[in-house]
Amino acid sequence: MTSTPTAAHRAALGRGLRDVRAERGLTLRDLADLLQVSPATLSAIENGRTGVTTDRVERLAAVLDVTVDRLFGQTNDVAGVAPTLPITHSEQSHWRTFAPLLLDPALEGALLSFVDLGYHGAPMRTIAERATLSVPGLYHYYASKQEMLVALLDLTMSDLGARCEAARSEGTDPVQRFALVVECLALYHTHRRELGLVGASEMRSLEPEARERLTGLRRDVQHLVDADVEAAVAAGQFLTTQPHEAARAVVTMCTALAQWFRADGPEPAEHVARQYVDFALDLVRWVGRA
């Protein structure tokens, strides 16, 4: 699930980011605060230990007032090769498209271990074995198990949020926007089932600062659905008398897909997603059903 170019790009971005940050006279914590990420996550990026979404690279460039190319620098190991970033949503991809998941070895091992054993039940030795690394080799990537969990959830929420925004932008009215976001949530929690499971079960395992920040990102996704349900109710298109509760039930229904969906099951993810759009429209009492 890894590749040499991907590792090279992570290293190039880390070097470029560290150099530009130094030029701007910013400490690691200064820049982390501006980006609303933890210093541990930013340190992992600067040291090339974790992947970064396209959206976050663009955010880094904007905050530092440089081009994306400047962040990657002019290094021999990536010259002439366009950046390839893991768990990305960009103009070259569509929110319904899910390329193979690319994680560094440590995160791959952590994800497998957290899904099978849970965060607290997964010792570093087991994570190292799943990553095909030694325990000292694992610490070369991340300083702690907590850093790995934060990195996984950061990548998950960044990707999910970007996909939901892209899906919603295709709608021309509240009902369409609602249906598209529901489809996106259902597709994400089937195609990215393992990440969905960790996100649903391990928020409680985060340290307070990271938990508060990532909870905020989850609320942002919920608020997309809230807004469209409320707008459709106001327009007389949804007849539910409890729009807030209905919107929360819809999101919970979609995220729960990660608990039971299997890629080798009888129905493909796309069919399940269409079913869930129908379920969601029934739940909010869409007048189009009449």
Side-chain angles (χ1 to χ4, degrees):
M1 298 177 71
T2 59
S3 67
T4 300
T6 299
H9 290 311
R10 287 200 305 269
L13 174 62
R15 288 192 298 269
L17 176 59
R18 190 164 52 248
D19 290 345
V20 174
R21 177 172 63 78
E23 290 172 9
R24 297 291 188 270
L26 297 170
T27 66
L28 192 73
R29 181 168 291 279
D30 289 337
L31 183 54
D33 289 344
L34 289 172
L35 294 167
Q36 295 185 314
V37 302
S38 69
T41 296
L42 186 59
S43 175
I45 295 171
E46 287 196 353
N47 287 291
R49 297 197 306 260
T50 188
V52 186
T53 64
T54 298
D55 285 344
R56 178 161 288 176
V57 171
E58 292 173 351
R59 172 68 174 153
L60 283 167
V63 167
L64 292 169
D65 193 25
V66 295
T67 65
V68 170
D69 288 344
R70 173 68 181 84
L71 279 183
F72 281 91
Q74 300 297 320
T75 57
N76 293 332
D77 55 349
V78 295
V81 182
T84 303
L85 303 171
I87 318 184
T88 183
H89 179 81
S90 70
E91 62 274 14
Q92 283 78 35
S93 64
H94 191 270
W95 57 269
R96 289 190 178 99
T97 301
F98 290 84
L101 191 61
L102 298 176
L103 298 174
D104 62 52
L107 283 190
E108 182 178 347
L111 180 59
L112 293 172
S113 301
F114 296 164
V115 168
D116 289 347
L117 304 171
Y119 175 80
H120 291 292
M124 292 294 273
R125 183 171 298 280
T126 298
I127 295 173
E129 290 172 355
R130 298 286 181 91
T132 64
L133 295 168
S134 65
V135 173
L138 188 65
Y139 282 110
H140 174 73
Y141 284 86
Y142 296 93
S144 68
K145 188 166 64 170
Q146 181 71 194
E147 276 194 12
M148 287 185 275
L149 179 61
V150 170
L152 283 170
L153 295 183
D154 267 333
L155 288 169
T156 300
M157 292 312 304
S158 179
D159 188 37
L160 177 59
R163 287 175 183 271
C164 286
E165 291 281 6
R168 189 171 185 264
S169 71
E170 294 182 8
T172 58
D173 63 51
V175 176
Q176 285 187 353
R177 290 194 292 269
F178 171 80
L180 287 165
V181 173
V182 170
E183 181 187 356
C184 182
L185 285 168
L187 287 174
Y188 197 87
H189 288 85
T190 49
H191 284 285
R192 296 285 188 250
R193 174 180 170 269
E194 291 81 4
L195 289 173
L197 278 172
V198 173
S201 62
E202 299 301 348
M203 290 289 291
R204 62 189 176 183
S205 301
L206 290 167
E207 293 176 357
E209 180 182 350
R211 183 167 59 249
E212 181 179 358
R213 178 175 55 77
L214 284 158
T215 298
L217 295 178
R218 291 178 67 170
R219 288 197 196 101
D220 289 344
V221 172
Q222 178 67 59
H223 290 165
L224 295 179
V225 181
D226 293 344
D228 289 325
V229 172
E230 290 168 2
V233 168
Q237 295 171 304
F238 292 166
L239 299 181
T240 177
T241 58
Q242 297 177 292
H244 179 77
E245 291 79 3
R248 184 167 298 279
V250 166
V251 172
T252 301
M253 175 179 73
C254 293
T255 57
L257 276 166
Q259 298 177 20
W260 65 264
F261 180 80
R262 295 293 182 274
D264 59 355
E267 301 290 351
E270 288 69 24
H271 178 73
V272 171
R274 288 192 294 271
Q275 286 182 324
Y276 269 57
V277 171
D278 287 341
F279 296 158
L281 289 170
D282 283 342
L283 197 154
V284 295
R285 299 176 61 196
W286 177 41
V287 297
R289 284 280 190 253

